[in-house]
mmCIF file of all heavy atoms in Angstrom:
data_model
loop_
_atom_site.group_PDB
_atom_site.id
_atom_site.type_symbol
_atom_site.label_atom_id
_atom_site.label_comp_id
_atom_site.label_asym_id
_atom_site.label_seq_id
_atom_site.Cartn_x
_atom_site.Cartn_y
_atom_site.Cartn_z
ATOM 1 N N THR Y 148 29.052 -1.602 -15.647
ATOM 2 C CA THR Y 148 29.902 -1.614 -16.829
ATOM 3 C C THR Y 148 29.246 -2.434 -17.942
ATOM 4 O O THR Y 148 29.137 -1.964 -19.120
ATOM 5 C CB THR Y 148 31.232 -2.183 -16.503
ATOM 6 O OG1 THR Y 148 31.872 -1.392 -15.523
ATOM 7 C CG2 THR Y 148 32.169 -2.277 -17.749
ATOM 8 N N ALA Y 149 28.756 -3.651 -17.621
ATOM 9 C CA ALA Y 149 28.166 -4.511 -18.678
ATOM 10 C C ALA Y 149 26.916 -3.878 -19.189
ATOM 11 O O ALA Y 149 26.577 -3.946 -20.384
ATOM 12 C CB ALA Y 149 27.934 -5.877 -18.044
ATOM 13 N N LEU Y 150 26.067 -3.238 -18.286
ATOM 14 C CA LEU Y 150 24.870 -2.552 -18.725
ATOM 15 C C LEU Y 150 25.113 -1.407 -19.641
ATOM 16 O O LEU Y 150 24.445 -1.252 -20.632
ATOM 17 C CB LEU Y 150 24.075 -2.110 -17.453
ATOM 18 C CG LEU Y 150 22.766 -1.320 -17.779
ATOM 19 C CD1 LEU Y 150 21.763 -2.185 -18.433
ATOM 20 C CD2 LEU Y 150 22.193 -0.826 -16.440
ATOM 21 N N MET Y 151 26.160 -0.593 -19.372
ATOM 22 C CA MET Y 151 26.512 0.500 -20.166
ATOM 23 C C MET Y 151 26.970 0.020 -21.518
ATOM 24 O O MET Y 151 26.555 0.588 -22.568
ATOM 25 C CB MET Y 151 27.600 1.311 -19.550
ATOM 26 C CG MET Y 151 27.239 2.040 -18.320
ATOM 27 S SD MET Y 151 26.018 3.315 -18.631
ATOM 28 C CE MET Y 151 25.471 3.716 -17.023
ATOM 29 N N VAL Y 152 27.720 -0.987 -21.622
ATOM 30 C CA VAL Y 152 28.170 -1.558 -22.861
ATOM 31 C C VAL Y 152 26.993 -2.028 -23.709
ATOM 32 O O VAL Y 152 26.898 -1.707 -24.916
ATOM 33 C CB VAL Y 152 29.172 -2.745 -22.674
ATOM 34 C CG1 VAL Y 152 29.454 -3.475 -23.971
ATOM 35 C CG2 VAL Y 152 30.453 -2.243 -22.003
ATOM 36 N N MET Y 153 26.139 -2.792 -23.039
ATOM 37 C CA MET Y 153 24.927 -3.307 -23.793
ATOM 38 C C MET Y 153 24.045 -2.134 -24.281
ATOM 39 O O MET Y 153 23.572 -2.167 -25.423
ATOM 40 C CB MET Y 153 24.115 -4.143 -22.917
ATOM 41 C CG MET Y 153 22.947 -4.900 -23.618
ATOM 42 S SD MET Y 153 21.771 -5.769 -22.521
ATOM 43 C CE MET Y 153 20.898 -4.338 -21.834
ATOM 44 N N THR Y 154 23.835 -1.090 -23.442
ATOM 45 C CA THR Y 154 23.024 -0.020 -23.823
ATOM 46 C C THR Y 154 23.615 0.762 -25.001
ATOM 47 O O THR Y 154 22.870 1.075 -25.971
ATOM 48 C CB THR Y 154 22.883 0.975 -22.625
ATOM 49 O OG1 THR Y 154 22.250 0.376 -21.544
ATOM 50 C CG2 THR Y 154 22.020 2.149 -22.975
ATOM 51 N N LEU Y 155 24.895 0.972 -24.992
ATOM 52 C CA LEU Y 155 25.471 1.728 -26.083
ATOM 53 C C LEU Y 155 25.439 0.940 -27.424
ATOM 54 O O LEU Y 155 25.161 1.492 -28.456
ATOM 55 C CB LEU Y 155 26.956 2.098 -25.727
ATOM 56 C CG LEU Y 155 27.166 3.150 -24.651
ATOM 57 C CD1 LEU Y 155 28.612 3.169 -24.194
ATOM 58 C CD2 LEU Y 155 26.639 4.486 -25.129
ATOM 59 N N ILE Y 156 25.709 -0.376 -27.282
ATOM 60 C CA ILE Y 156 25.687 -1.152 -28.517
ATOM 61 C C ILE Y 156 24.197 -1.370 -29.008
ATOM 62 O O ILE Y 156 23.954 -1.212 -30.187
ATOM 63 C CB ILE Y 156 26.300 -2.571 -28.247
ATOM 64 C CG1 ILE Y 156 27.776 -2.434 -28.001
ATOM 65 C CG2 ILE Y 156 26.037 -3.554 -29.334
ATOM 66 C CD1 ILE Y 156 28.522 -3.753 -27.561
ATOM 67 N N PHE Y 157 23.295 -1.614 -28.013
ATOM 68 C CA PHE Y 157 21.923 -1.808 -28.470
ATOM 69 C C PHE Y 157 21.323 -0.503 -29.042
ATOM 70 O O PHE Y 157 20.654 -0.572 -30.109
ATOM 71 C CB PHE Y 157 21.116 -2.106 -27.165
ATOM 72 C CG PHE Y 157 19.772 -2.748 -27.439
ATOM 73 C CD1 PHE Y 157 19.677 -4.043 -27.961
ATOM 74 C CD2 PHE Y 157 18.613 -1.971 -27.165
ATOM 75 C CE1 PHE Y 157 18.465 -4.617 -28.232
ATOM 76 C CE2 PHE Y 157 17.294 -2.591 -27.415
ATOM 77 C CZ PHE Y 157 17.279 -3.910 -27.963
ATOM 78 N N SER Y 158 21.583 0.621 -28.419
ATOM 79 C CA SER Y 158 21.043 1.969 -28.923
ATOM 80 C C SER Y 158 21.643 2.228 -30.325
ATOM 81 O O SER Y 158 20.968 2.639 -31.171
ATOM 82 C CB SER Y 158 21.421 3.029 -28.003
ATOM 83 O OG SER Y 158 20.891 2.813 -26.732
ATOM 84 N N PRO Y 268 16.375 0.182 -23.993
ATOM 85 C CA PRO Y 268 17.326 1.246 -24.487
ATOM 86 C C PRO Y 268 17.529 1.159 -25.956
ATOM 87 O O PRO Y 268 17.851 0.106 -26.525
ATOM 88 C CB PRO Y 268 18.572 1.001 -23.720
ATOM 89 C CG PRO Y 268 18.230 0.110 -22.562
ATOM 90 C CD PRO Y 268 17.041 -0.673 -23.012
ATOM 91 N N PHE Y 474 24.408 -9.600 -19.778
ATOM 92 C CA PHE Y 474 24.524 -8.412 -20.486
ATOM 93 C C PHE Y 474 25.549 -8.479 -21.617
ATOM 94 O O PHE Y 474 25.385 -7.929 -22.710
ATOM 95 C CB PHE Y 474 24.716 -7.166 -19.549
ATOM 96 C CG PHE Y 474 23.473 -6.765 -18.772
ATOM 97 C CD1 PHE Y 474 23.633 -6.083 -17.614
ATOM 98 C CD2 PHE Y 474 22.267 -7.081 -19.228
ATOM 99 C CE1 PHE Y 474 22.517 -5.738 -16.911
ATOM 100 C CE2 PHE Y 474 21.094 -6.693 -18.462
ATOM 101 C CZ PHE Y 474 21.253 -6.052 -17.291
ATOM 102 N N LEU Y 477 24.521 -10.630 -24.439
ATOM 103 C CA LEU Y 477 23.582 -9.962 -25.300
ATOM 104 C C LEU Y 477 24.299 -8.963 -26.216
ATOM 105 O O LEU Y 477 23.963 -8.803 -27.411
ATOM 106 C CB LEU Y 477 22.549 -9.238 -24.401
ATOM 107 C CG LEU Y 477 21.454 -10.202 -23.756
ATOM 108 C CD1 LEU Y 477 20.652 -9.397 -22.817
ATOM 109 C CD2 LEU Y 477 20.536 -10.814 -24.803
ATOM 110 N N SER Y 478 25.239 -8.269 -25.619
ATOM 111 C CA SER Y 478 26.015 -7.252 -26.404
ATOM 112 C C SER Y 478 26.743 -7.923 -27.577
ATOM 113 O O SER Y 478 26.796 -7.479 -28.656
ATOM 114 C CB SER Y 478 27.041 -6.542 -25.505
ATOM 115 O OG SER Y 478 26.345 -5.925 -24.445
ATOM 116 N N LEU Y 481 24.462 -8.950 -30.330
ATOM 117 C CA LEU Y 481 24.002 -7.801 -31.186
ATOM 118 C C LEU Y 481 25.141 -7.500 -32.217
ATOM 119 O O LEU Y 481 24.794 -6.994 -33.313
ATOM 120 C CB LEU Y 481 23.751 -6.584 -30.258
ATOM 121 C CG LEU Y 481 22.450 -6.626 -29.479
ATOM 122 C CD1 LEU Y 481 22.466 -5.518 -28.455
ATOM 123 C CD2 LEU Y 481 21.215 -6.551 -30.368
#
Side-chain angles (χ1 to χ4, degrees):
T148 297
L150 177 63
M151 292 294 167
V152 170
M153 187 190 72
T154 300
L155 291 172
I156 292 176
F157 197 71
S158 301
F474 285 156
L477 287 172
S478 302
L481 287 168

